[in-house]
Amino acid sequence: MDLIPFDVLQQRLIETCGERSGRQVFREIMREKPISFDEQILTTIDAMKLHSNESYSLRTIATIFEVAHSTIKDKLDKRGSPKKEEPNARIFDDIQEQIFIAEIIDEYENGDPFTQATLLEHIDAQFPEKMISRGYIQSLVNRYSHRIIEMIARPLEQKRFDVPLTDVAAYRIGLSEKVEGRYSCLIANADESGVQDFADAHNKLVLAPVSVKPKDCRYKVERDGKKVSIMGTIALDGECAPPAVVVKRLTLDQDIYDHGLRKDRDALIMTSKKGNFNTQHVTTWGEKIFVPFIKSQRKAYKLPQTARATLIMDGYGPHCADELTNLFKKNNIDILLLPAHASHGFQPLDLSTFHAMKSRVKQMQTGFEKGTQGHQIQ
């Protein structure tokens, strides 16, 4: 039979799964690029299990493709039949297949697990003279089911909210000790934000070691573009400290301050090999930005310079460095750390300011050529 026109298939999926899930299922099908009616059915089954499992059933698939329920069952039985795939399995000997399995496990542990499609491409690139298909890959998975398994993996970034309740309780105690009863002008929140997008991250069906539990199945999210990190600071009274910016460069371009930026007044601009804040950057920020900011807050509100201030930050290593904590102790500033892996649930800047900032940044027009260092900083 001929392929169902893809626009027709998309419409049927939306009617079956709903607007959002239907489009997700359709995008997953298009990633696999089915070239036959059978492949179209099987990729649709896989995609529905991944993105709309509550809508999946053999009868639902049969309705979408306008075939008998028994036809769908036969195609699934043939796909997973060891007898049918056994001749293909001998394309490679046992040693070669053991190497494939080791590669599958290694790639998962490296955070970039294979899918059936990418494993097929990987093997095909190594052995272009071999005629292999998705059927062989499925056979390999079936025959080595004691070592590998196919399961849904979530983007690694989703791990950030795996936080024990004991840590949340400890944070609440910290709030009562270091926030309650203090002047709002001396309670501040600071955080770094990378002005850089994630590639499109979504749950996907991957090959993983059998020892992996479904809740722990993750894959690393790749970032795209050039990175610029910004340290934003806002006090509870709404006052903001000048931002600190780190660019992924060893030197600053000479024209950085040619379009209105005032050095160390509008922003503290620094460089690094990776575009991330390190201990030296954070300590410099503390000396040149945050301590003067707190002193000016005390002065503006006519408070003594001994009035204690609180800075809320996540537990990123440089935030806990001795250089920074000693600097803050001398200036009557306490640090309150957020629970680990929970910054996007508790970090005030993540929950409001940075989201609005990134949306605004993407729409901004600057006086610099797009892609230049100055454009990224502005």
Side-chain angles (χ1 to χ4, degrees):
M1 294 181 66
D2 294 333
L3 286 163
I4 290 180
F6 285 108
D7 57 337
V8 174
L9 177 59
Q10 182 181 29
Q11 186 57 41
R12 291 178 182 176
L13 288 169
I14 290 173
E15 293 172 357
T16 302
C17 307
E19 182 77 22
R20 183 172 181 274
S21 296
R23 293 188 184 281
Q24 288 179 324
V25 172
F26 183 72
R27 283 197 296 269
E28 189 70 29
I29 294 168
M30 297 308 294
R31 286 190 185 98
E32 299 297 329
K33 300 177 181 177
I35 59 174
S36 69
F37 183 67
D38 285 2
E39 285 188 10
Q40 197 177 39
I41 289 176
L42 294 174
T43 54
T44 299
I45 290 172
D46 292 340
M48 284 190 69
K49 286 181 177 180
L50 182 60
H51 294 290
S52 186
N53 193 48
E54 69 281 358
S55 302
Y56 169 73
S57 71
L58 294 184
R59 294 190 183 280
T60 299
I61 299 296
T63 300
I64 291 173
F65 287 91
E66 298 180 337
V67 295
H69 167 267
S70 57
T71 301
I72 303 298
K73 187 175 185 304
D74 288 343
K75 294 184 186 301
L76 282 174
D77 289 342
K78 290 177 182 178
R79 179 199 218 185
S81 171
K83 292 183 179 179
K84 187 176 187 305
E85 300 299 342
E86 189 58 29
N88 275 347
R90 294 300 92 198
I91 294 175
F92 300 102
D93 59 35
D94 290 342
I95 294 177
Q96 289 173 315
E97 290 194 340
Q98 290 288 348
I99 292 174
F100 296 156
I101 299 303
E103 288 178 328
I104 290 170
I105 295 173
D106 286 345
E107 287 301 291
Y108 177 83
E109 292 176 347
N110 290 333
D112 188 21
F114 284 115
T115 63
Q116 285 205 19
T118 57
L119 180 61
L120 178 60
E121 292 174 0
H122 174 72
I123 296 175
D124 191 50
Q126 293 184 73
F127 302 94
E129 74 282 1
K130 303 280 190 179
M131 298 295 292
I132 60 174
S133 65
R134 280 286 289 269
Y136 169 72
I137 302 298
Q138 184 64 51
S139 171
L140 182 72
V141 174
N142 291 343
R143 286 181 289 104
Y144 286 88
S145 59
H146 60 291
R147 296 191 60 190
I148 59 172
I149 190 172
E150 200 169 23
M151 65 173 64
I152 294 174
R154 293 179 290 164
L156 188 59
E157 192 71 0
Q158 294 186 14
K159 186 178 180 180
R160 293 181 64 189
F161 209 76
D162 295 340
V163 51
L165 291 179
T166 52
D167 289 356
V168 177
Y171 176 61
R172 293 185 64 180
I173 293 172
L175 288 172
S176 65
E177 294 176 346
K178 298 180 179 180
V179 172
E180 289 182 13
R182 295 195 178 181
Y183 296 102
S184 61
C185 62
L186 300 183
I187 299 170
N189 176 217
D191 190 28
E192 297 90 347
S193 177
V195 183
Q196 177 190 35
D197 294 330
F198 279 118
D200 183 24
H202 58 278
N203 293 355
K204 61 182 180 180
L205 205 58
V206 304
L207 301 174
V210 292
S211 58
V212 175
K213 297 178 181 179
K215 68 181 181 65
D216 297 326
C217 190
R218 318 273 182 163
Y219 71 96
K220 289 181 180 177
V221 178
E222 295 295 332
R223 294 177 181 264
D224 53 18
K226 298 179 180 178
K227 181 161 187 180
V228 174
S229 295
I230 180 172
M231 172 80 85
T233 308
I234 186 170
L236 195 56
D237 67 342
E239 290 295 319
C240 298
V245 179
V246 173
V247 296
K248 189 178 179 181
R249 289 280 292 276
L250 297 180
T251 59
L252 288 176
D253 292 342
Q254 293 182 352
D255 64 348
I256 289 299
Y257 300 103
D258 288 353
H259 293 273
L261 277 179
R262 294 171 296 178
K263 186 176 181 180
D264 295 347
R265 292 183 63 187
D266 295 318
L268 171 64
I269 303 174
M270 299 170 283
T271 62
S272 79
K273 290 183 179 180
K274 296 184 178 181
N276 296 321
F277 279 82
N278 57 30
T279 299
Q280 182 181 349
H281 294 135
V282 175
T283 303
T284 301
W285 164 82
E287 293 173 346
K288 293 188 176 183
I289 298 292
F290 190 70
V291 169
F293 172 71
I294 289 298
K295 288 182 176 180
S296 68
Q297 288 283 86
R298 289 171 177 147
K299 183 177 180 180
Y301 283 87
K302 299 179 180 180
L303 300 172
Q305 289 299 320
T306 55
R308 299 207 67 80
T310 298
L311 176 61
I312 301 173
M313 296 191 295
D314 61 38
Y316 176 49
H319 297 171
C320 310
D322 291 341
E323 296 90 335
L324 188 68
T325 54
N326 290 336
L327 171 68
F328 284 176
K329 282 180 182 178
K330 293 177 183 178
N331 291 278
N332 300 304
I333 300 170
D334 294 319
I335 296 176
L336 176 60
L337 297 179
L338 296 163
H341 307 307
S343 60
H344 78 299
F346 290 92
Q347 174 66 268
L349 283 169
D350 276 352
L351 294 172
S352 56
T353 309
F354 282 155
H355 176 75
M357 179 198 74
K358 289 185 177 183
S359 298
R360 183 72 179 273
V361 164
K362 292 177 181 178
Q363 300 172 7
M364 284 181 63
Q365 299 293 324
T366 74
F368 295 95
E369 182 181 349
K370 189 173 182 180
T372 64
Q373 193 180 72
H375 176 82
Q376 291 176 302
I377 293 172
Q378 282 277 45

